[in-house]
Amino acid sequence: MHTLLVDHQGVTLAHEAGALCVRDGGGVLQRVPLTQLARVIVENDALLSVQLVRQLAAAGIPLVIARGRSRASAALLAPVAGDARRRLRQTRAWLDADLRLDFARQVVRLRLRSQIRNLRGWAGEAPALRYPLLRAARALRRLHPRIHDAPALPTLRGLEGVAGRVYFSAMRLLLAPALGFDGRRRRPSPDPVNAALSLGFTMLHGRALEAAHRAGLDACIGALHEPAHGRASLACDLMEAERAAVERLVVQLFRSRALEAHHFGRTGQACLLGKEGRGPLFGQLEPVLRRADGRLARRIARLLAQLPELPA
């Protein structure tokens, strides 16, 4: 089972004899049996047949229309698992200030631990930068008690912000100055590193959204991330600990020069990944996301075990 990423411009996607066919004016570009598909992601303008959408829905194969150069996206997800009582339990937990704060603390602790692992790993790979990277890791380690004792969500979010600034300042040391990366920036991404991170995080968010939906949870009701119009806040919470895997991959790709500045273009203030750079990024991103799928499933199982029962 694998993910099909369609990034050709102006192609047609149709269902033919149990397979998804991607066609352009010259004929069939790709033909994949539905039984081999885990999900379909469409990155560029394309025509999709209604029959294909029906068949994907019937097979429970998620279809994601990625944002591309706009902020609009859409998703056709697999049928919801479980029953409404699971969502009621989730809502009840989130209405309990103590339970919500406890889960939010777990989210930030996991994010912090993953950042520390990255910094220590990079210190081993870049001996010349060992001291500043380990110093940053120690600074993050000192935040652990404060996260455990954080009395409210605003305090917790402030600590997460402090950790992020320390972490990305250290990560910047690993990257060529010519790339222009001076910290995490988005909407729009101003440099190649941020552009690659944003693409990876968008894909990761889709996997977290799928996992929450598949478990029968309401992806819009988060703990650390406030519920907001149009935001899948629980998916944002779930993906926090997995961001480090995407960051590790992006640093690796730029340090090995599999990705370089010339793979990116610019539209206005936004830096965008060009077609030549999609192969190196997406080719290595999919295995990272597959490993994240298993961890997301386990994290959701632990969350379900923590949800309070409904009164009889």
Side-chain angles (χ1 to χ4, degrees), residues 114-143:
S114 68
Q115 290 172 323
I116 292 171
R117 280 196 301 272
N118 270 3
L119 290 168
R120 288 175 174 168
W122 288 328
E125 296 164 9
L129 298 171
R130 181 178 176 82
Y131 177 74
L133 291 171
L134 290 182
R135 182 177 57 191
R138 288 193 295 271
L140 295 189
R141 186 68 187 169
R142 287 194 293 270
L143 291 176

Side-chain angles (χ1 to χ4, degrees), residues 20 26 31 40 45 48-49 123 125 128 133 137 166 176 192 198 211 222 228 236 243 263 267 287 295 307:
L20 186 155
R31 178 184 177 87
V40 179
D45 288 342
L48 282 74
S49 75
E125 296 164 9
L133 291 171
V166 171
S198 291
C236 294
R243 288 179 181 270
H263 291 135
T267 298
R295 291 190 293 266
L307 294 180

Side-chain angles (χ1 to χ4, degrees), residues 223-239:
L224 179 67
H225 293 84
E226 290 281 359
H229 179 74
R231 180 167 70 190
S233 298
L234 178 60
C236 294
D237 285 353
L238 291 170
M239 68 180 280

Side-chain angles (χ1 to χ4, degrees), residues 63-120:
L63 168 66
V64 179
I65 310 299
R67 291 177 178 178
R69 298 193 178 192
S70 73
R71 292 186 59 190
S73 62
L76 171 69
L77 300 175
V80 176
D83 58 25
R85 291 177 61 84
R86 184 170 287 184
R87 294 190 178 209
L88 289 173
R89 289 172 61 204
Q90 178 191 1
T91 302
R92 186 182 182 204
W94 265 229
L95 290 174
D96 183 314
D98 291 335
L99 285 175
R100 182 180 174 193
L101 179 59
D102 184 60
F103 183 71
R105 287 190 189 116
Q106 294 178 44
V107 171
V108 178
R109 279 198 298 267
L110 286 170
R111 172 60 169 152
L112 202 64
R113 287 172 189 166
S114 68
Q115 290 172 323
I116 292 171
R117 280 196 301 272
N118 270 3
L119 290 168
R120 288 175 174 168

Side-chain angles (χ1 to χ4, degrees), residues 203-213 235-236 238-239 296 300:
M203 296 294 206
L204 178 60
H205 181 270
R207 303 297 260 266
L209 179 61
E210 282 182 39
H213 181 82
C236 294
L238 291 170
M239 68 180 280
L296 287 168
I300 286 175

